[in-house]
C-alpha cells in the first residue's frame, strides 16, 4: 500500500502501461484551441497485457536482494472511477488483473478446444497486430513481438510449404485452412498450428497492404511452459548453407508479397479499364449523335456581337445554354435541347 503500481511492472511494460492511459483513457480537453487538462471518462475501458513482479518472500531469510526477480503475465482492464467522500471528489484508476497461465500441461499436448488467435503482418513481413488470446499459447506479450519479422516465427523446415501457401494467398486473395506447420513459442520450442488466410489490397495502389492469419492450435510444444525464459544454448548450430537457404526462402516470400499481382488487384485493374472504355465509348457516341442543328446553333451563338454584356468568350455553349448567363430570346430557349 502506498507504492506506485508502475514500480511493480516489468521495465519493458512500463512505457506501454503509461501510454495506454494517456492515449486511450485520458482524453485531452481543449478550450479556446489550447489544451488545458486531460478528462478521464468514467465509462472508458481499455485492456493491455503486462508482466507484474512476483513477491519475493522472506521464507529463506532476509537476503531478498540476492534472489532473481520473476514476473507473471496478466491481462489488465483499465478504467477510471469517480469516488466522493468528505474530502471531496477524486478520480481513481481501477485495474482489474487476470493472470495468464500456459495453456499446456504436458509435452506435445494434443489440443482440441483451443481458442484461435489472429496475427496480422504487412507486405514486408513486419508484424502489426497479434491477439491477446495468443498469450497462453505462444507466451509472447503483444508489445514484445509487434514490429518484429513475422516470418521468423515459422519453422525453417516448413518455409518451403509456406512459400506455396503465400503464393496461393497472393494470387487468390485468401487461402483455406492449410496443413499443420510449426510456429515458434516464446520459450524457444514450437507449437503446431493450422491457419486460415486472408489479405487486404489497397484499392488505390492495388498493392498488398497486409495478410491476416487465423491460427488454430493443434499440438503444444515440447516444453509446456511457454513463459519460461528460452535457453540460448538450445539454438541448434546451423551451417552457413542452411542459413542462406532459409533466408532466401524468407526473402522470396517477401518478394511475392510485393511483386506478384494479386487476383483482387487484377480484378480491380480490369474493372477500371472497362470503366475507362465505357466512358470513352459513351463520349464518342455523344459526339457522333450530336444533331447538325445543334452545332449550327452553337456556331451562331459564338458569332454574336462580342460587346453584348451577357456574353463571355470563354463560356461553354451546350445547345444554346451558357453556365454563366440566361438568354432573353425565346429562339435561344434550351427546352428542346438534350440535357448534357
Amino acid at each position: 500500500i502506498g507504492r506506485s503500481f508502475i514500480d511493480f511492472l516489468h521495465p519493458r511494460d512500463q512505457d506501454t502501461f503509461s501510454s495506454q492511459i494517456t492515449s486511450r483513457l485520458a482524453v485531452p480537453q481543449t478550450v479556446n484551441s489550447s489544451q488545458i487538462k486531460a478528462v478521464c471518462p468514467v465509462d472508458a475501458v481499455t485492456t493491455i497485457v503486462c508482466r507484474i513482479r512476483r513477491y519475493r518472500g522472506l521464507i529463506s531469510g532476509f537476503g531478498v536482494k540476492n534472489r532473481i526477480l520473476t514476473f507473471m503475465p496478466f491481462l489488465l482492464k483499465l478504467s477510471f472511477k469517480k469516488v466522493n467522500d468528505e474530502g471531496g471528489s477524486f478520480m481513481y484508476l481501477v485495474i482489474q488483473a487476470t493472470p495468464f497461465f500456459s495453456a499446456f500441461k504436458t509435452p506435445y499436448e494434443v489440443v482440441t478446444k483451443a481458442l484461435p488467435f489472429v496475427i496480422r503482418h504487412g507486405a514486408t513481413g513486419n508484424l502489426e497486430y497479434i491477439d491477446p488470446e495468443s498469450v497462453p499459447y505462444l507466451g509472447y506479450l503483444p508489445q514484445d513481438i509487434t514490429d518484429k519479422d513475422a516470418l521468423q516465427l515459422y519453422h525453417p523446415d516448413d518455409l518451403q510449404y509456406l512459400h506455396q501457401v503465400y503464393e496461393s494467398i497472393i494470387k487468390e486473395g485468401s487461402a483455406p485452412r492449410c496443413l499443420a506447420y510449426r510456429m515458434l513459442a516464446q520459450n524457444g520450442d514450437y507449437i503446431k498450428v493450422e491457419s486460415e488466410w486472408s489479405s487486404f489490397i489497397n484499392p488505390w495502389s492495388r498493392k498488398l497492404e497486409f495478410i491476416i492469419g487465423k491460427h488454430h492450435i493443434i499440438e503444444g510444444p515440447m516444453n509446456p511452459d511457454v513463459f519460461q525464459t528460452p535457453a540460448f544454448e538450445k539454438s541448434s548450430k546451423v551451417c552457413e548453407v542452411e542459413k542462406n537457404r532459409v533466408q532466401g526462402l524468407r526473402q522470396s516470400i517477401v518478394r511475392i508479397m510485393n511483386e506478384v499481382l494479386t487476383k483482387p488487384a487484377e480484378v480491380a485493374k480490369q474493372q477500371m479499364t472497362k470503366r475507362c472504355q465505357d466512358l470513352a465509348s459513351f463520349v464518342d457516341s455523344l459526339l457522333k449523335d450530336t444533331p447538325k442543328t445543334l452545332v449550327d446553333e452553337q456556331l451562331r451563338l459564338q458569332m454574336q456581337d462580342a460587346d453584348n454584356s451577357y456574353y463571355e468568350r470563354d463560356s461553354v455553349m451546350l445547345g444554346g445554354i451558357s453556365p454563366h448567363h440566361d438568354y432573353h430570346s425565346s429562339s435561344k430557349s434550351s427546352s428542346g435541347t438534350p440535357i448534357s
Side-chain angles (χ1 to χ4, degrees), residues 40-333:
C40 306
V42 177
D43 56 346
V45 177
T46 186
T47 59
I48 53 168
V49 181
C50 286
R51 286 156 289 207
I52 300 178
R53 197 176 77 203
R54 285 178 178 273
Y55 173 62
R56 293 186 292 182
L58 301 175
I59 298 171
S60 57
F62 289 92
V64 292
K65 287 187 178 180
N66 297 326
R67 300 186 61 185
I68 298 172
L69 278 176
T70 56
F71 294 85
M72 186 172 176
F74 282 82
L75 178 69
L76 305 184
K77 286 187 180 179
L78 312 176
S79 61
F80 285 104
K81 184 177 181 181
K82 201 170 187 178
V83 177
N84 298 310
D85 57 19
E86 303 85 26
S89 178
F90 298 95
M91 189 70 76
Y92 288 93
L93 174 64
V94 179
I95 303 169
Q96 180 183 335
T98 307
F100 275 115
F101 299 98
S102 178
F104 311 107
K105 300 288 187 290
T106 58
Y108 302 115
E109 183 178 336
V110 177
V111 182
T112 54
K113 294 182 180 179
L115 286 173
F117 60 88
V118 167
I119 294 178
R120 184 183 75 226
H121 68 75
T124 59
N126 186 54
L127 197 149
E128 298 174 350
Y129 172 81
I130 183 168
D131 268 342
E133 284 82 0
S134 69
V135 175
Y137 300 108
L138 287 174
Y140 301 109
L141 271 60
Q143 58 265 33
D144 289 343
I145 197 173
T146 303
D147 293 329
K148 300 292 193 297
D149 185 1
L151 303 183
Q152 295 283 347
L153 294 176
Y154 305 147
H155 193 288
D157 293 343
D158 295 333
L159 283 173
Q160 190 69 54
Y161 168 66
L162 288 167
H163 189 279
Q164 300 171 14
V165 173
Y166 271 81
E167 280 184 328
S168 177
I169 299 166
I170 300 305
K171 288 177 181 175
E172 300 298 325
S174 61
R177 188 157 168 167
C178 66
L179 300 176
Y181 63 96
R182 287 160 288 186
M183 185 177 284
L184 184 65
Q186 190 275 151
N187 64 4
D189 288 331
Y190 288 87
I191 63 170
K192 278 188 181 178
V193 298
E194 293 177 357
S195 305
E196 302 168 64
W197 308 88
S198 61
S199 64
F200 175 74
I201 309 298
N202 187 313
W204 301 108
S205 65
R206 297 201 292 273
K207 297 271 189 186
L208 176 75
E209 287 287 325
F210 53 78
I211 285 179
I212 299 172
K214 186 177 182 182
H215 307 290
H216 305 264
I217 298 95
I218 304 301
E219 184 182 280
M222 183 177 72
N223 177 4
D225 184 5
V226 294
F227 296 115
Q228 187 172 315
T229 304
F232 290 104
E233 66 272 9
K234 198 174 196 176
S235 57
S236 56
K237 295 177 182 177
V238 183
C239 67
E240 202 65 32
V241 176
E242 180 64 14
K243 278 184 182 177
N244 293 337
R245 184 190 73 85
V246 170
Q247 187 59 25
L249 282 169
R250 290 192 182 115
Q251 289 172 351
S252 180
I253 292 174
V254 172
R255 201 158 45 245
I256 288 171
M257 290 190 286
N258 287 277
E259 294 178 7
V260 177
L261 189 62
T262 64
K263 185 177 179 181
E266 186 65 51
V267 171
K269 185 180 178 182
Q270 290 171 358
Q271 288 175 343
M272 187 62 72
T273 305
K274 187 175 185 304
R275 285 173 189 162
C276 291
Q277 290 171 346
D278 290 345
L279 181 61
S281 173
F282 176 68
V283 172
D284 189 46
S285 67
L286 282 181
L287 294 174
K288 286 179 182 176
D289 296 344
T290 303
K292 189 175 185 300
T293 54
L294 181 56
V295 176
D296 292 343
E297 177 72 3
Q298 289 173 344
L299 288 172
R300 189 179 65 76
L301 287 168
Q302 289 172 10
M303 292 165 65
Q304 285 180 348
D305 186 4
D307 293 335
N308 289 344
S309 61
Y310 53 77
Y311 178 71
E312 289 177 355
R313 280 188 188 277
D314 60 348
S315 65
V316 180
M317 308 304 293
L318 292 173
I321 305 170
S322 167
H324 308 292
H325 304 287
D326 293 328
Y327 289 86
H328 307 296
S329 170
S330 60
S331 66
K332 301 183 184 75
S333 171

